[in-house]
């Protein structure tokens, strides 16, 4: 580890801290199923000291066929709707809960750019949160660079999760 890294530890996201605190209050565990965010959501959660008490793991299902083969998203749904779809996000969350044996799962799918996908504009995001009590899916359209859209997608995902906890 460099002196620079020691002087500047990762910034802890307050929403990630709040999600982990809420999970702790419930005694629940969490997993992620990520496409658009490519592991950034799980990384943001595990930056929080003590995250291992709640975070079991994450699956990066960036390719459409991996959403089907690993997470169990229905191939007919993917063929009909494409990977950027609210029902796909919900199926990804259910798949992560099942595979990683967690109480809660957060899923992200969308278009970071530079080009549209599945007839959806750059910035389209669907977040799904699956808990023992309910399932919620939110869709938004974000703006900015590819990196900004990915970072903002993490923020939206954490806030949607908080609202469901």
């Amino acid at each position: 580890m460099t002196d620079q890294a020691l002087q500047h530890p990762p910034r802890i996201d307050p929403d990630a801290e709040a999600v982990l605190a809420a999970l702790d209050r419930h005694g629940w565990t969490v997993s992620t199923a990520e496409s658009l965010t490519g592991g950034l959501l799980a990384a943001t959660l595990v930056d929080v000291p003590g995250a291992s008490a709640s975070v079991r793991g994450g699956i990066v299902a960036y390719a459409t066929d991996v959403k089907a083969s690993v997470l169990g998203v229905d191939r007919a749904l993917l063929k009909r709707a494409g990977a950027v779809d609210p029902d796909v996000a919900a199926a990804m969350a259910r798949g992560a809960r099942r595979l990683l044996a967690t109480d809660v799962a957060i899923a992200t799918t969308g278009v970071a750019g530079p080009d549209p996908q599945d007839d959806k504009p750059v910035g389209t995001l669907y977040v799904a949160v699956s808990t023992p009590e309910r399932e919620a899916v939110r869709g938004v359209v974000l703006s900015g660079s590819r990196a900004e859209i990915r970072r903002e997608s993490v923020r939206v995902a954490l806030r949607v999760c908080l609202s469901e906890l």
Side-chain angles (χ1 to χ4, degrees):
M1 186 174 279
T2 67
D3 288 340
Q4 179 82 9
L6 290 172
Q7 293 171 6
H8 301 286
R11 179 180 133 345
I12 305 303
D13 186 296
D15 290 331
E17 284 183 307
V19 165
L20 293 171
L23 289 164
D24 186 57
R25 284 191 298 276
H26 286 286
W28 288 349
T29 56
V30 67
S31 59
T32 63
E34 302 182 62
S35 184
L36 167 70
T37 49
L40 191 56
L41 176 57
T44 301
L45 287 167
V46 301
D47 278 344
V48 178
S52 60
S54 298
V55 179
R56 288 193 39 88
I59 297 166
V60 176
Y62 204 66
T64 299
D65 64 302
V66 175
K67 291 172 182 64
S69 64
V70 175
L71 291 170
V73 178
D74 182 68
R75 290 180 193 279
L77 170 63
L78 289 165
K79 186 174 182 176
R80 180 178 69 255
V84 182
D85 180 81
D87 293 334
V88 170
M92 290 172 63
R94 287 190 300 271
R97 274 187 74 201
R98 177 180 45 80
L99 288 168
L100 296 171
T102 58
D103 302 292
V104 177
I106 312 165
T108 63
T109 187
V111 185
D115 300 313
Q117 179 183 337
D118 299 332
D119 295 322
K120 304 291 190 319
V122 171
T124 301
L125 167 68
Y126 293 104
V127 172
V129 175
S130 178
T131 78
E133 298 169 348
R134 65 182 153 271
E135 187 173 277
V137 180
R138 303 282 189 283
V140 297
V141 179
L142 307 169
S143 61
S145 68
R146 180 178 172 80
E148 290 167 335
I149 289 168
R150 291 181 67 234
R151 282 192 304 271
E152 184 66 10
S153 295
V154 169
R155 187 189 68 78
V156 170
L158 291 169
R159 291 188 176 172
V160 171
C161 185
L162 268 175
S163 72
E164 296 305 310
L165 295 176

